[in-house]
Amino acid sequence: MKQTRTRGLSGTGLKWIALALMVLDHIHYMFGYTGRVPVWFSMAGRLSAPLFLFCLAEGFAHTSNKRRYFIKVYIIHLLMSGLLFLMIAGVLPVRPDEFYPKNGMMTSFAILMVVFQGMDWLGEKRWGPGLAAVALPLAWPVLASMLMGMVPALQMPLSVLGYTFLPMWNSNPDAGIGTILTGILLYGFRKKRRVQAGVFAAFTVLYYFFYALLVFSRFPEFHWTMMFTTVYEWYGALAAIPMLCYNGERGRGPKRFFYVFYPAHVYILYALSWAAYPLLAGG
């Protein structure tokens, strides 16, 4: 973990923490079928996505070349979401239990970067492009769904677009509306660190605990204790602690490593889980 001379955690330090937690989460995700990976791997991993979203907000706000930053993220999104679509469509083979990785944080990053730019334009009172950049990415899945309903022949081409060139925030679990709203809040309050952390934590608990509790309580097999053992996405609120330790500096570290590591580790872990499946399935 890299730190600058200034006390606290640099952006690079936060990324290393998020990366380590992400790997734990994905080990549980890929090898959960064995019954041998402790669930706390994924519980700890709930802090990973918020920390990466925090770093995205900081990085976008301070980068000297927003276009280049976006292009890097967009290319990785195209690669991973394209492969996901091919797996869903049955074009690519998947693990014998029909499991395939649905990871897509780069999709949410690409969407959020467009929204962030729109928020910046609104701050500059450029109302037209600002409103378009904020509203269109958020409304696109709804509009696409309406078009599919009205013209069934558009279902396939719009689905392809939603997984590739015009990403939808509902195309994978990592790009859900909760993730998008979290990113927007982190960017909107980034200039007031304590307020930012507080708003983030409050939203996470309200959305992923109380709203989730309301939804899951409708199922007869659900018990409130499952909010601490099964429905634990709200544990991500604890990411507010390292956020408050951020010292405002980028920090030193490999610039391209994080871009390469994310897709590489997902598919390496998936390949390993597939190769080990005949030996480990069934625990």
Side-chain angles (χ1 to χ4, degrees):
M1 180 177 64
K2 300 289 185 179
Q3 283 186 268
T4 64
R5 294 179 182 178
T6 305
R7 294 180 61 185
L9 292 166
S10 68
T12 302
L14 288 174
K15 287 179 181 178
W16 282 116
I17 293 172
L19 183 146
L21 295 174
M22 175 181 69
V23 171
L24 287 178
D25 181 30
H26 290 168
I27 290 174
H28 181 266
Y29 178 56
M30 301 292 185
F31 291 89
Y33 69 86
T34 67
R36 300 175 185 180
V37 183
V39 70
W40 69 261
F41 274 36
S42 278
M43 290 178 174
R46 296 310 89 201
L47 281 68
S48 177
L51 289 177
F52 276 127
L53 289 172
F54 177 89
C55 292
L56 177 74
E58 286 296 308
F60 189 83
H62 296 107
T63 184
S64 59
N65 193 327
K66 289 181 169 59
R67 179 177 296 179
R68 184 172 61 185
Y69 191 13
F70 173 78
I71 290 173
K72 290 178 182 178
V73 169
Y74 187 69
I75 289 173
I76 300 173
H77 145 72
L78 287 175
L79 168 67
M80 298 190 70
S81 289
L83 289 175
L84 173 59
F85 180 78
L86 293 175
M87 290 179 185
I88 293 173
V91 176
L92 292 178
V94 297
R95 211 168 67 188
D97 60 351
E98 299 185 352
F99 170 87
Y100 47 85
K102 301 179 179 67
N103 309 86
M105 279 301 294
M106 290 300 175
T107 298
S108 63
F109 285 5
I111 295 169
L112 281 169
M113 291 170 83
V114 176
V115 176
F116 291 170
Q117 182 62 73
M119 293 169 70
D120 287 347
W121 282 336
L122 289 175
E124 299 167 3
K125 297 184 180 180
R126 297 175 61 184
W127 306 116
L131 288 173
V134 171
L136 290 178
L138 300 179
W140 167 228
V142 179
L143 294 174
S145 179
M146 292 173 60
L147 288 172
M148 290 178 189
M150 292 186 292
V151 186
L154 292 177
Q155 289 185 4
M156 180 56 70
L158 287 177
S159 295
V160 172
L161 278 178
Y163 277 92
T164 54
F165 299 106
L166 293 177
M168 298 182 188
W169 49 255
N170 61 347
S171 61
N172 64 69
D174 288 338
I177 190 61
T179 301
I180 299 301
L181 292 177
T182 298
I184 291 173
L185 291 173
L186 288 172
Y187 193 72
F189 289 95
R190 71 188 183 282
K191 295 180 180 179
K192 297 181 179 180
R193 187 73 61 227
R194 293 184 180 180
V195 175
Q196 179 194 42
V199 169
F200 156 74
F203 171 77
T204 301
V205 172
L206 286 173
Y207 186 80
Y208 290 109
F209 185 90
F210 289 105
Y211 177 68
L213 178 62
L214 180 65
V215 171
F216 285 103
S217 62
R218 300 174 183 176
F219 297 94
E221 66 273 15
F222 177 81
H223 189 270
W224 68 268
T225 56
M226 294 174 68
M227 296 302 300
F228 300 89
T229 59
T230 306
V231 188
Y232 46 76
E233 192 72 27
W234 65 276
Y235 285 4
L238 293 173
I241 298 173
M243 288 178 190
L244 288 171
C245 296
Y246 176 56
N247 61 19
E249 297 191 17
R250 179 176 180 175
R252 296 181 181 180
K255 297 180 180 180
R256 298 180 181 178
F257 175 77
F258 296 101
Y259 294 104
V260 175
F261 183 84
Y262 180 70
H265 94 282
V266 166
Y267 297 121
I268 288 173
L269 286 176
Y270 183 55
L272 291 173
S273 75
W274 193 340
Y277 189 82
L279 298 174
L280 302 178

